[in-house]
Amino acid sequence: MHPKPNALPWLLLSALLIALDQLTKWWALSALQPPGLPHPVIPGFLNWTLAFNTGAAFSFLAQGSGWQRWFFVVLAVAITVALVVWLMRTARREWRTALPLSLVIGGALGNLIDRLHASQVTDFIQVYYRDWYYPTFNVADCGITVGAVLLILFGLRSSSHR
């Protein structure tokens, strides 16, 4: 009896997301100077605005004295290892699990690269409406968010089918 192929090839999607994330951050660093200056894309809704975050989502712990960098590095590595193990135990055909996991892995590693390289994460996507501004984010954050939402939605869907 042969073991069923696992979902590790989905890590290619993670690698693609990492490459896209790093490419867009490189573009943002070179094209969107100075930091904080909005470059309108869709007036009234979307700007490219270079920003840096030493914390986590929504600048959580950004005011720390530097310890948070290593906390988030360790957290990203631990989460990535756990998700890769989950992928190893997932059948390749189970795309409803493999797709979201690979997106979260790619996003976590994209931001991890920033933390290791520059001690901060580069953000540049700014969504707003009038005086309301969503926290500036990046492509890696999109991968984490979309992956987490899909994992929840697919999980809820499969549990309702049981």
Side-chain angles (χ1 to χ4, degrees), residues 20 22 25 27 36 38 49 56 59 63 73 82 113 116 134 137-138 145 147 152 155-156 158 160:
L20 181 62
Q22 293 299 303
K25 288 173 179 173
W27 168 80
T49 304
S59 296
Q63 302 307 316
V73 164
I113 291 167
L116 291 173
Y134 190 78
F137 58 98
N138 59 46
T145 302
I152 292 166
L156 290 174
S158 68
S160 70

Side-chain angles (χ1 to χ4, degrees), residues 39-51:
H39 300 264
V41 178
I42 303 172
F45 180 71
L46 177 68
N47 292 329
W48 297 147
T49 304
L50 183 60

Side-chain angles (χ1 to χ4, degrees), residues 10 13 37 44 53-54 68 82 85-86 90 93 106:
W10 280 89
L13 178 60
L37 178 68
N53 183 0
T54 57
Q68 73 276 22
V85 169
W86 191 354
T90 299
R93 61 176 163 49

Side-chain angles (χ1 to χ4, degrees), residues 34-102:
L37 178 68
H39 300 264
V41 178
I42 303 172
F45 180 71
L46 177 68
N47 292 329
W48 297 147
T49 304
L50 183 60
F52 302 101
N53 183 0
T54 57
F58 310 112
S59 296
F60 177 67
L61 297 178
Q63 302 307 316
S65 60
W67 65 268
Q68 73 276 22
R69 172 190 184 194
W70 299 110
F71 172 75
F72 291 124
V73 164
V74 169
L75 187 63
V77 169
I79 289 170
T80 299
V81 168
L83 297 182
V84 169
V85 169
W86 191 354
L87 268 182
M88 285 172 47
R89 296 177 178 173
T90 299
R92 190 171 301 166
R93 61 176 163 49
E94 290 184 31
W95 67 271
R96 284 184 179 90
T97 301
L99 171 65
L101 291 178
S102 64

